[in-house]
Amino acid sequence: MLHNDPIAALTPEVVAWRHHIHANPELGFQEVETARFVAEKLRSFGLEVQEGIGGTGVVGTLRAGSGKRAIGLRAELDALPVIERTGLPYASKNAGVMHACGHDGHSAMLLGAAKLLSENPDFDGTVHFIFQPAEENEGGSMRMIEAGLFERFPVEAVYAVHNWPGVPFGTIAARAGAQMAAVDNFELRFLGLGAHVAMPHLGDDPILAAGAFIQSVQRIVSRAVDPQTPIVVSLTQVHGGNVGNIVPKEIWLQGTCRFFDPALSDLCERLIGEIADGVAASHGVTAALDYKRGYPPVINTVEAAALAARAAGAAVGPENVMAEFKPSLGCEDFAFMIRAASGCYAWIGAGEVGPGEGLHGDRYIFNDAIVPHVLRYWQNLVTGALPKAAP
């Protein structure tokens, strides 16, 4: 550690901000107090601040020099509907809501980067610090884009980080190409007449149809797609019936599809519909499919990923930068921002965790020791993307 290192001096303050945000979590599009806290901090650093973008989104803008180039750095504001069981002194004060993914840390670290760069603006251009609402399931980044995010704050690329339990501490991982998967969700209903169990011949059986569908739909993965192509089709809910001696009229299923190739979205929708209709016809019932396209895959652009790797190497050492690794079939709505503006999404190694302590677990604890790694990464990224002209 360098003597009089400003990042080391700033880290305790960033951790304190993180603990404050953690103790006061808010769900997606309800992050009113969190957004206010962020905006007040940004203004205190001397940044231009715009609020209410796409709901509760906040953008702070920092300019230095005369350069016309601009980049965006993004963090998330929202928490999850999880009952916290960490026992931390700064545990959630809001019953049933918890920062169980680390968005509190991401926001606090981006605030730290804003303060660090405002005090030492060693770059030439503009940085937009983007704090988005509702990353978890509600698509807050798309809401900001639809509200004119990149028209109002144009950038040549946008960057984000996510703490990543399971990746070695002290490591930063970013790869060109796919890093996170696309996700589509579907709901399917099998509809029939039902019957008394003693007289099944007088009706039909949506349960049998649902069972046949659950088995048959896996042929999408096993037979309809190249076996070397990553894809998952999972059924996550099955509901129907409420009486012990009555075959129900309706069975409702919910499922999800995950993949890296965007073309698989159309394939999944078509095949799930065909399989459902075929199963329904063979069982004398009808099928109703509602297929919803969710987040696209996170596809890091080559130039942005290369810049991220250089910034990461300067932050944690080149030997601790991962550029070749298996992407995750998890999803992330930062994909919309990269698709709109190009950019790179990086994982920050948080070390190993135990059961219930990983992302979205009720005993998840953000590793505050990664704070200086991320502050250095953000600083290096900005100075690398927006270098000052040689004297």
Side-chain angles (χ1 to χ4, degrees), residues 10-59:
L10 179 58
T11 293
E13 189 172 14
V14 173
V15 171
W17 297 338
R18 205 277 292 178
H19 292 182
H20 169 80
I21 297 171
H22 185 92
N24 298 277
E26 297 169 297
L27 296 175
F29 294 123
Q30 301 174 32
E31 312 97 325
V32 176
E33 293 304 319
T34 309
R36 181 178 294 123
F37 177 83
V38 164
E40 288 175 354
K41 290 296 180 187
L42 292 172
R43 286 193 179 96
S44 74
F45 308 152
L47 275 66
E48 305 165 23
V49 179
Q50 300 295 324
E51 300 177 73
I53 303 170
T56 47
V58 179
V59 176

Side-chain angles (χ1 to χ4, degrees), residues 186-191 250-253 272-273 276-277 280 285-291:
F186 63 90
E187 296 179 6
L188 177 62
R189 283 177 163 78
F190 287 106
L191 307 163
E250 179 179 335
I251 297 294
W252 177 84
L253 305 93
I272 289 172
D277 288 342
V285 299
T286 59
L289 173 65
D290 182 12
Y291 190 93

Side-chain angles (χ1 to χ4, degrees), residues 71 73 122:
I71 64 169
L73 310 180
D122 190 24

Side-chain angles (χ1 to χ4, degrees), residues 54-104:
T56 47
V58 179
V59 176
T61 298
L62 179 63
R63 307 179 198 277
S66 58
K68 302 301 182 184
R69 299 174 63 194
I71 64 169
L73 310 180
R74 170 272 206 178
E76 321 93 308
L77 298 170
D78 58 322
L80 285 157
V82 173
I83 298 173
E84 182 163 354
R85 305 188 190 281
T86 62
L88 293 168
Y90 54 88
S92 171
K93 299 176 183 177
N94 298 334
V97 185
M98 176 188 175
H99 273 292
C101 196
H103 296 180
D104 52 342

